[in-house]
Amino acid sequence: MREEVYPMRAMANLTCVWHRVIEKQMSDLGLSSIQSRMLGYLYFRSREGKKVFQKELEEEFKIRKSSVTSVIQILEKKGLVRRTGVPQDARKKELMLTEQGIAVQKTVIGRLDRLEALVNEALDLEERKIWFSCICKIEKRLEEAEYD
């Protein structure tokens, strides 16, 4: 079986399918997968009372500054996010959801919850534990290899 020899290929294929499903679920909202993920991050961080800056998004989503800038600009144009200057540092801009962004994110959360339930039906509790354990091991190993 090819997956036994190339597990990361199987993971990449699964990721592609997952992103296509997300894109389809968010299409009527006009959101791409990464846009909905960033909205979600901003939403949950704000509910925790935390401020979010672009650098944090770069680290969280493991993408380049230019990519984050592009996504944020699109979300601003759609009226979902705004940037607010920080008095102590004119170069820093806090990222915040607008009221419209909050409403859209609540819709996104409902849809993602339904997708998570669908995926969870495919695996029993023990299989999910093994799956998470494997993912964590792979992620750790890849992160360690980056610095070898």
Side-chain angles (χ1 to χ4, degrees):
M1 180 178 265
R2 209 165 57 183
E3 288 78 14
E4 292 171 2
V5 179
Y6 301 108
M8 295 312 296
R9 183 179 296 166
M11 178 74 81
N13 290 342
L14 176 59
T15 299
C16 288
V17 170
W18 179 248
H19 284 286
R20 277 197 309 269
V21 168
I22 297 292
E23 299 274 340
K24 187 173 181 178
Q25 287 291 311
M26 305 306 157
S27 64
D28 67 311
L29 299 174
L31 295 175
S32 68
S33 176
I34 189 66
Q35 290 167 359
S36 66
R37 290 173 59 212
M38 283 191 190
L39 278 181
Y41 187 82
L42 291 170
Y43 178 81
F44 288 108
R45 295 296 285 177
S46 70
R47 293 197 59 189
E48 296 170 350
K50 309 272 176 145
K51 294 182 178 189
V52 178
F53 301 94
Q54 181 167 327
K55 183 74 172 163
E56 189 176 335
L57 293 177
E58 294 165 28
E59 294 167 3
E60 177 67 22
F61 294 101
K62 297 171 179 54
I63 57 177
R64 288 185 225 80
K65 181 179 182 176
S66 60
S67 298
V68 173
T69 298
S70 176
V71 173
I72 294 303
Q73 286 173 342
I74 291 167
L75 293 174
E76 278 183 304
K77 286 179 185 172
K78 293 179 180 201
L80 304 176
V81 171
R82 71 173 181 271
R83 289 186 244 204
T84 307
V86 176
Q88 313 87 297
D89 188 346
R91 297 169 296 169
K92 280 181 110 175
K93 304 283 186 221
E94 180 182 355
L95 302 169
M96 301 183 334
L97 292 181
T98 63
E99 289 300 318
Q100 181 183 355
I102 293 168
V104 167
Q105 182 54 32
K106 287 180 178 178
T107 300
V108 169
I109 290 169
R111 293 177 186 186
L112 291 177
D113 285 347
R114 286 191 296 279
L115 285 173
E116 286 285 348
L118 180 71
V119 170
N120 280 332
E121 290 173 6
L123 303 172
D124 64 33
L125 181 59
E126 190 58 32
E127 289 171 323
R128 284 195 303 270
K129 287 179 183 177
I130 293 167
W131 168 252
F132 284 120
S133 174
C134 292
I135 290 172
C136 290
K137 284 181 181 179
I138 292 168
E139 183 177 15
K140 183 178 180 191
R141 179 63 189 121
L142 290 173
E143 287 174 347
E144 289 170 352
E146 274 189 282
Y147 304 107
D148 286 345

